[in-house]
Amino acid sequence: MPQALRNTLLSFRDLLATAGPFVLIAAVLLGVAYWVLDPTPPKRVVLATGVEQGAYAEFGRRYAAFLKGHGITVELRNTQGAAENLQLLRDENSGVDIAFVQGGADAERPGEPVEDEEDLKSLGSLFYEPVWLFYREDSAQRLVKAPLVNSLSQLQGWKINIGAPGSGVPNLMARLFEANRIDPSTLTLLRKPQTPAVVDFLEGEIDAIVFASAPESVMVQMLLQTPGIKLFDVAQADAYSRRFPFLSAVTLPRGVVDLAGDVPPADVRLIAPTATLVAREGTHPALIQLFMQAAQSVHGGAGWFQHKGDFPTARGAERALAAEAQRFYRAGPPFLQRYLPFWLANLIDRMWVVLVSIVAILIPLGRVVPPLYQFRIRSRVFRWYGQLRALENAAGQRPVEELSRELDAIEARVENVSIPLSYADELYSLRSHIDMVRRKLNGVTGEA
């Protein structure tokens, strides 16, 4: 091996041996921080949506497409609606991580505040989910003796489908009937799933049908344009919004469904809970961040009931906001995601405080590395001076031949000492001192 390469390798070995403990400390600290902070989100998440042809299912597909672009697979689980979604979230064995939930749909805690439910956190309000009460015009003529229904109290004696078990509408309608002092026994309430219920409704076997959904629902769009089907105009919409905090008074503008056909022919007042995303407490913050960005992309535009930028919003959420959702509403998406891939931006975003702390710890410790390196190199030379002094002090006390043999052995071993060129003067100085001791042993005092 060439001497220059050998010296280089030795210098690197010495540097590694000196700085290695500090590198090891930094690696251990980073490993512990990574384990504690867990900055990398899982690659799969389960989202509970709703019925196959409903708005929740449609939005779920859009969320899945958005997160797929960031390397996250979203498994969509169809359900009967918001009430079932809440049950799945509360069931630790369901596998559901996050779900769409309609305001006022909680069957376990009807009318109770849910801000203190620590296991479930809200990501904010996403869109208005109006209560669509469609009724047949011929049923109104037969049962009310009028073409239009003006009050919920006029529905007594009607055959009404209020949604399948698991949807949020039955719980919501129970509150509305109670507020209007309507005895449910005076109604024929059906609990059929949405699609078969709509079929029966169109065939005249049901007088009215109720569901809460965003206008993107296929059923809503179809029924709004079906002849002989009327949409209930909630004249007391403002009063409902005052009585029930989870409800808002909204207006379906004239002509918004079909401008050319002037559908609807007049403004229709409606009441609307807001749909929210609800996640388990332990859902990874990076997933929450991605769902918030997806919500902004999917729901941030203008719609039938909102202007651009109205949603998503922290207002109107029944549950406490997740910490990452609060951060999103306060500052928007992380700055680094504008320039870096999601995985890298997320890693830096969640680890930078730790990185700065580790650097702050290692900088003072790193100042001792150069002195330690210098001591390690020079010690290879200086450790021979002890033996030289012992030989020099033994001159005259021990046989010169014996001392000379020991000195030759020291010199031979020093010949094999390798140090960086920057410390070569130390090695040459040692050799000159060995020669000086030899002259002393040979009785030479001032000549070479």
Side-chain angles (χ1 to χ4, degrees), residues 21-197:
F22 300 97
V23 175
L24 181 61
I25 291 173
V28 170
L29 291 176
L30 281 174
V32 172
Y34 189 92
W35 178 74
V36 172
L37 296 178
D38 188 21
T40 304
K43 297 296 184 181
R44 176 182 170 275
V45 61
V46 179
L47 171 64
T49 57
V51 295
E52 179 60 34
Q53 294 181 321
Y56 286 172
E58 172 60 27
F59 289 139
R61 287 187 283 269
R62 299 185 193 179
Y63 276 69
F66 183 93
L67 268 73
K68 185 178 181 180
H70 295 283
I72 306 297
T73 299
V74 179
E75 178 185 326
L76 301 177
R77 185 173 300 184
N78 291 329
T79 67
Q80 288 300 321
E84 182 180 348
N85 289 353
L86 279 172
Q87 292 175 1
L88 291 173
L89 285 173
R90 288 169 175 151
D91 181 2
E92 296 181 356
N93 300 318
S94 70
V96 171
D97 303 293
I98 191 167
F100 290 105
V101 174
Q102 168 197 311
D106 197 340
E108 293 188 15
R109 305 174 69 170
E112 298 180 18
V114 290
E115 294 90 343
D116 58 346
E117 189 173 16
E118 296 181 356
D119 294 338
L120 301 181
K121 298 296 181 182
S122 173
L123 274 62
S125 300
L126 306 178
F127 54 89
Y128 289 123
E129 202 170 10
V131 177
W132 308 91
L133 196 165
F134 292 100
Y135 60 92
R136 297 182 58 85
E137 190 173 4
D138 56 3
S139 294
Q141 292 283 5
R142 175 170 51 87
L143 297 170
V144 185
K145 311 302 181 185
L148 299 177
V149 175
N150 300 313
S151 170
L152 286 180
S153 60
Q154 292 179 291
L155 298 178
Q156 297 187 62
W158 286 47
K159 193 175 184 180
I160 306 172
N161 189 81
I162 58 173
S167 71
V169 178
N171 303 323
L172 176 59
M173 291 305 297
R175 300 189 195 187
L176 299 184
F177 289 149
E178 181 181 4
N180 283 275
R181 293 194 288 275
I182 298 175
D183 185 353
S185 63
T186 64
L187 304 168
T188 302
L189 299 178
L190 305 178
R191 304 291 293 273
K192 294 185 177 183
Q194 188 179 98
T195 300

Side-chain angles (χ1 to χ4, degrees), residues 3-4 6-15 373-374 376-378 380-381 417-428:
Q3 187 64 33
R6 182 183 180 189
N7 289 335
T8 300
L9 293 177
L10 286 171
S11 297
F12 178 75
R13 185 191 67 182
D14 291 324
L15 181 60
Y373 176 75
Q374 185 181 44
R376 180 180 177 85
I377 298 299
R378 298 183 71 183
R380 294 181 188 170
V381 176
V417 173
S418 297
I419 61 175
L421 294 177
S422 57
Y423 293 90
D425 59 330
E426 306 282 356
L427 183 59
Y428 283 107

Side-chain angles (χ1 to χ4, degrees), residues 47 118 122 127 134 156 180 203 212 250 285 311 313 325 384 390 404 434 439:
L47 171 64
E118 296 181 356
S122 173
F127 54 89
F134 292 100
Q156 297 187 62
N180 283 275
E203 292 178 351
V250 298
F311 292 103
T313 177
W384 299 105
S404 295
I434 291 174
R439 291 199 302 268

